[in-house]
């Protein structure tokens, strides 16, 4: 078999590996999302308590400022009472004092409720905090492991790419052009093994003369029907790996 044909087969194998790599590279990102979302799931109770606590604290601040307002109103109307000149002014002052007093009482009661609720939520947050720290540490460790595996994997992918570029330089320009053209047409599936005189990709029977040449490894031939590049392997023969072909090519 010619070196070009061996290189073409190896190129096909390399491209198959690179296509697999694309899928696997996406899987690292999917795994990262899964790890993070698992963490979010575990801390949901904590997150809810913390969000509610923030809301209660905001409400408490508003209520406390309302209380100051109502207390100052109460003080003002109480002072007004000292200055009334007639029965009508007296009644108005009494009514306003009464309203302010009720508002103060209502406000104080709401503040007490909010403080109790905040205390409950603070306890809940504090209860979950150590668990969160543990989970966060575990999550960070899992993410670091994912990043390490991805980096190692990407380095391997880069080695495959380098090997592919080496093959390209060794392959004759004509066959490289042919390979690229068929790859575009056939979704990357360029090479077709001949089995029982038939193109294994499109099932077209080869002309006897072409079959004979392909079997003997004389020249490089393409399938009349699908245009793929044909190769023949005697039954039981081992297929040279892409690495072996690249290495062999380097020696020649
Ligand atoms: Zn074919």
């Amino acid at each position: 078999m010619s070196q070009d044909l061996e290189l073409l087969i190896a190129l096909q194998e390399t491209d198959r590996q690179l296509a697999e790599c694309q899928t696997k590279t996406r899987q690292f990102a999917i795994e990262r999302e899964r790890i993070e979302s698992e963490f979010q799931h575990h801390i949901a109770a904590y997150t809810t308590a913390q969000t509610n606590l923030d809301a209660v604290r905001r409400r408490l601040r508003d209520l406390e400022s309302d209380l100051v307002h109502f207390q100052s109103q109460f003080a003002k109307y109480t002072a007004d009472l000292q200055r009334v000149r007639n029965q009508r002014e007296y009644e108005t002052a009494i009514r306003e004092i009464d309203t302010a007093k009720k508002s103060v009482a209502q406000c104080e009661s709401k503040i007490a409720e909010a403080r109790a609720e905040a205390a409950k939520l603070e306890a809940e947050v504090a209860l979950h905090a150590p668990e969160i720290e543990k989970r966060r540490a575990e999550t960070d460790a899992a993410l670091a492991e994912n990043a390490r595996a991805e980096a190692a994997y990407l380095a391997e992918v880069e080695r495959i790419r380098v090997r592919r570029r080496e093959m390209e330089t060794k392959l004759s320009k004509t066959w490289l052009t042919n390979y690229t053209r068929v790859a575009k047409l056939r979704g990357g599936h360029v090479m077709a093994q001949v089995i029982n005189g038939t193109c294994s990709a499109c099932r077209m029977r080869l002309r006897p003369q072409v079959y004979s040449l392909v079997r003997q490894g004389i020249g490089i031939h393409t399938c009349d029907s699908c245009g793929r590049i044909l190769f023949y392997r005697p039954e039981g023969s081992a297929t040279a790996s892409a690495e072996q072909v690249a290495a062999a090519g380097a020696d020649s």
Side-chain angles (χ1 to χ4, degrees):
M1 192 184 285
S2 73
Q3 190 195 309
D4 267 351
L5 190 55
E6 289 287 7
L7 278 167
L8 285 164
I9 295 167
L11 197 60
Q12 174 79 91
E13 170 57 16
T14 304
D15 282 348
R16 190 193 58 75
Q17 287 174 356
L18 286 173
E20 265 180 23
C21 290
Q22 281 195 335
T23 315
K24 192 153 181 194
T25 308
R26 277 195 296 275
Q27 279 167 355
F28 283 106
I30 292 168
E31 176 63 6
R32 262 199 302 282
E33 273 178 36
R34 191 198 62 75
I35 293 169
E36 194 56 51
S37 98
E38 192 179 276
F39 174 71
Q40 294 301 335
H41 169 76
H42 282 301
I43 67 160
Y46 169 85
T47 311
T48 308
Q50 185 64 59
T51 307
N52 291 344
L53 179 58
D54 290 344
V56 170
R57 280 177 177 159
R58 275 197 301 276
R59 197 165 80 231
L60 203 49
R61 273 198 300 278
D62 289 347
L63 285 168
E64 279 163 354
S65 116
D66 286 351
L67 180 63
V68 170
H69 168 73
F70 293 133
Q71 280 170 337
S72 81
Q73 273 194 329
F74 178 77
K76 179 188 172 293
Y77 299 139
T78 308
D80 285 353
L81 188 63
Q82 310 305 316
R83 294 192 293 271
V84 294
R85 286 160 301 181
N86 52 49
Q87 183 63 20
R88 196 179 56 78
E89 282 183 1
Y90 173 79
E91 280 168 11
T92 305
I94 287 292
R95 205 165 49 242
E96 283 170 338
I97 286 169
D98 195 43
T99 307
K101 210 162 139 184
K102 272 186 195 151
S103 298
V104 167
Q106 271 176 3
C107 214
E108 281 173 343
S109 145
K110 281 183 191 167
I111 285 172
E113 270 173 36
R115 280 188 181 143
E117 202 182 334
K120 202 177 118 232
L121 289 166
E122 274 162 8
E124 206 175 318
V125 166
L127 179 74
H128 287 298
E131 164 77 2
I132 301 305
E133 271 178 40
K134 187 172 146 277
R135 290 274 183 201
R136 188 66 251 176
E138 282 170 4
T139 302
D140 288 346
L143 287 173
E145 172 56 25
N146 178 283
R148 193 201 57 74
E150 186 179 28
Y153 186 72
L154 291 177
E156 174 58 23
V157 173
E158 187 48 34
R159 275 193 290 278
I160 298 175
R161 289 212 177 98
V162 167
R163 206 161 65 218
R164 193 191 192 284
R165 283 195 289 275
E166 282 170 9
M167 288 177 196
E168 280 185 0
T169 59
K170 284 169 201 156
L171 194 57
S172 75
K173 202 168 181 308
T174 312
W175 282 109
L176 179 61
T177 309
N178 264 323
Y179 179 96
T180 310
R181 185 180 54 81
V182 179
K184 268 184 198 151
L185 280 172
R186 302 290 176 196
H189 188 183
V190 182
M191 306 303 292
Q193 188 168 357
V194 173
I195 299 167
N196 297 327
T198 305
C199 165
S200 62
C202 73
R203 308 285 167 203
M204 180 76 171
R205 182 155 282 282
L206 269 59
R207 284 179 283 124
Q209 195 197 355
V210 174
Y211 179 38
S212 168
L213 291 170
V214 171
R215 271 189 75 146
Q216 294 173 73
I218 300 171
I220 302 177
H221 306 271
T222 53
C223 172
D224 286 341
S225 168
C226 68
R228 289 189 179 89
I229 300 168
L230 300 166
F231 68 96
Y232 177 81
R233 294 254 183 244
E235 256 179 71
S237 76
T239 305
S241 72
E243 291 90 335
Q244 284 167 338
V245 172
D251 296 340
S252 62

